[in-house]
């Protein structure tokens, strides 16, 4: 089993891309799409350090943390990742910012199996970089 944890996964979901995917991939239109747009857009924040506040910043990406919809909205970006991982002959489970890869092999094939896993991880990482997705946490 290989566990992938994506850094800043909830912070990197571009609102315009997410809304386009709702429409084109999931058939969400009209008032429901407008509701999601309203939920995601015009979210602003600022940082406080001691008694000093930063300027107000309006975010064009990210989903609200701690919200019920956060994991669902992040999961809506996963179909392409799902297709890629499926093409690599790896069993997997995807949810929000967590990806579990299940890979079985027998001892005589250890080296080739590890090479396949390393190649697969490199392809997943390259795809995420090319598609403006978060990167794996490097621990």
């Amino acid at each position: 089993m290989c566990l992938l944890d994506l850094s800043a996964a909830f912070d990197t979901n571009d609102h315009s891309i997410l809304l386009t995917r709702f429409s084109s991939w999931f058939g969400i239109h009209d008032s429901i799409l407008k509701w999601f747009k309203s939920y995601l857009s015009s979210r602003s924040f600022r940082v406080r350090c001691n008694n000093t506040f930063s300027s107000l910043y309006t975010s064009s990406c990210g989903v609200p943390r701690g919200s019920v919809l956060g994991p669902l909205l992040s999961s809506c970006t996963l179909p392409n990742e799902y297709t890629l991982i499926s093409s690599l002959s790896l069993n997997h489970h995807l949810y929000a910012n967590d990806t579990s890869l299940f890979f079985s092999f027998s001892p005589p094939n250890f080296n080739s199996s590890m090479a396949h896993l390393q190649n697969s991880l490199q392809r997943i990482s390259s795809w995420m970089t090319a598609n403006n997705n978060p990167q794996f946490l490097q621990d």
Side-chain angles (χ1 to χ4, degrees), residues 15-132:
H15 295 164
S16 61
I17 293 172
L18 192 56
L19 293 169
T20 299
R21 288 179 180 174
F22 282 164
S23 178
S24 62
W25 292 0
F26 304 110
I28 296 173
H29 301 285
D30 303 323
S31 60
I32 296 172
L33 188 62
K34 288 178 185 175
W35 182 87
F36 275 112
K37 183 176 183 177
S38 171
Y39 179 75
L40 292 170
S41 57
S42 301
R43 291 193 172 269
S44 57
F45 65 91
R46 60 181 163 181
V47 177
R48 177 182 170 192
C49 183
N50 295 323
N51 289 326
T52 305
F53 289 90
S54 69
S55 300
L56 200 59
Y57 175 79
T58 301
S59 178
S60 63
C61 61
V63 296
R65 289 187 179 223
S67 67
V68 173
L69 289 177
L72 173 68
L73 294 172
S74 286
S75 294
C76 289
T77 64
L78 297 178
N80 281 349
E81 184 184 350
Y82 177 85
T83 302
L84 171 66
I85 294 172
S86 293
S87 75
L88 299 172
S89 301
L90 296 172
N91 294 319
H92 56 280
H93 175 75
L94 301 143
Y95 180 73
N97 66 328
D98 294 316
T99 301
S100 302
L101 304 175
F102 305 94
F103 190 65
S104 62
F105 54 89
S106 58
N109 300 326
F110 181 80
N111 289 337
S112 63
S113 297
M114 287 297 102
H116 174 67
L117 181 59
Q118 289 174 332
N119 179 54
S120 298
L121 290 173
Q122 181 57 50
R123 288 189 57 196
I124 294 166
S125 180
S126 295
W127 178 86
M128 289 190 166
T129 299
N131 288 277
N132 197 28

